Amino acid sequence: MTKLLKLIMTSAAIGITIGYLVALSFSGLYQTRYFVPSAPTYVATFSSPLTATLTSTGLWALIGIVFGLASLTFQQSNWSITRQTVVNFCLTYLGFTPLAILCGWFPLDFHWLLSFTGIFILIYAFLWLNYYLASYHEVQRLNRLLKK
């Protein structure tokens, strides 16, 4: 239980950090005079920017937790890499998508959802390919060491 709690706390902190950095970037992109946690239309739905920021911080923590808990699929040594990847993808997509909508990152609209899904798949495939290639090269290196 302690390991799980540590994973949740660490994942929440990472989610908040990444969320804050993304929001800071968008504050600059929208050229706002003050920090805003998301698009101005999102912030306008709250009674104050502080409430919007507090809500966003909670959502960012949840996003971090989703990705942190989903990473546990790669610790299932009795699963194939394909099964691990498919389950991880489904968990992250199904957990992250509603949170991204709640964060005001895109509206609940078919075209936006389709675009988001395409981008999510491309980013996920890129990250998975990098992980796969790194693992492949590590196995090759270990095999060379064993042959010596």
Side-chain angles (χ1 to χ4, degrees):
M1 184 63 173
T2 308
K3 283 184 180 182
L4 182 61
L5 186 57
K6 184 178 178 183
L7 174 66
I8 289 170
M9 296 302 290
T10 302
S11 299
I14 291 169
I16 291 168
T17 301
I18 292 171
Y20 171 78
L21 293 173
V22 168
L24 192 60
S25 299
F26 278 102
S27 291
L29 181 69
Y30 284 111
Q31 298 178 354
T32 60
R33 292 182 57 189
Y34 303 101
F35 173 82
V36 290
S38 191
T41 53
Y42 169 82
V43 176
T45 64
F46 292 90
S47 60
S48 71
L50 178 60
T51 306
T53 301
L54 287 172
T55 303
S56 294
T57 301
L59 292 169
W60 300 333
L62 289 173
I63 289 170
I65 291 168
V66 164
F67 280 91
L69 292 176
S71 73
L72 293 174
T73 58
F74 292 111
Q75 293 180 7
Q76 302 303 314
S77 57
N78 57 332
W79 288 5
S80 70
I81 188 69
T82 303
R83 182 175 178 190
Q84 290 172 343
T85 302
V86 168
V87 170
N88 181 271
F89 175 84
C90 291
L91 291 174
T92 55
Y93 181 80
L94 293 174
F96 178 67
T97 303
L99 293 170
I101 292 168
L102 288 173
C103 283
W105 293 347
F106 65 92
L108 184 55
D109 170 82
F110 176 75
H111 296 292
W112 276 99
L113 189 59
L114 189 62
S115 296
F116 168 80
T117 300
I119 292 167
F120 190 88
I121 290 170
L122 287 174
I123 291 171
Y124 193 91
F126 175 76
L127 292 173
W128 181 85
L129 182 62
N130 281 330
Y131 171 77
Y132 177 82
L133 291 174
S135 297
Y136 176 81
H137 289 297
E138 180 66 13
V139 168
Q140 295 300 317
R141 184 185 72 78
L142 292 172
N143 282 338
R144 282 192 303 273
L145 288 173
L146 287 173
K147 288 181 182 177
K148 287 185 179 182

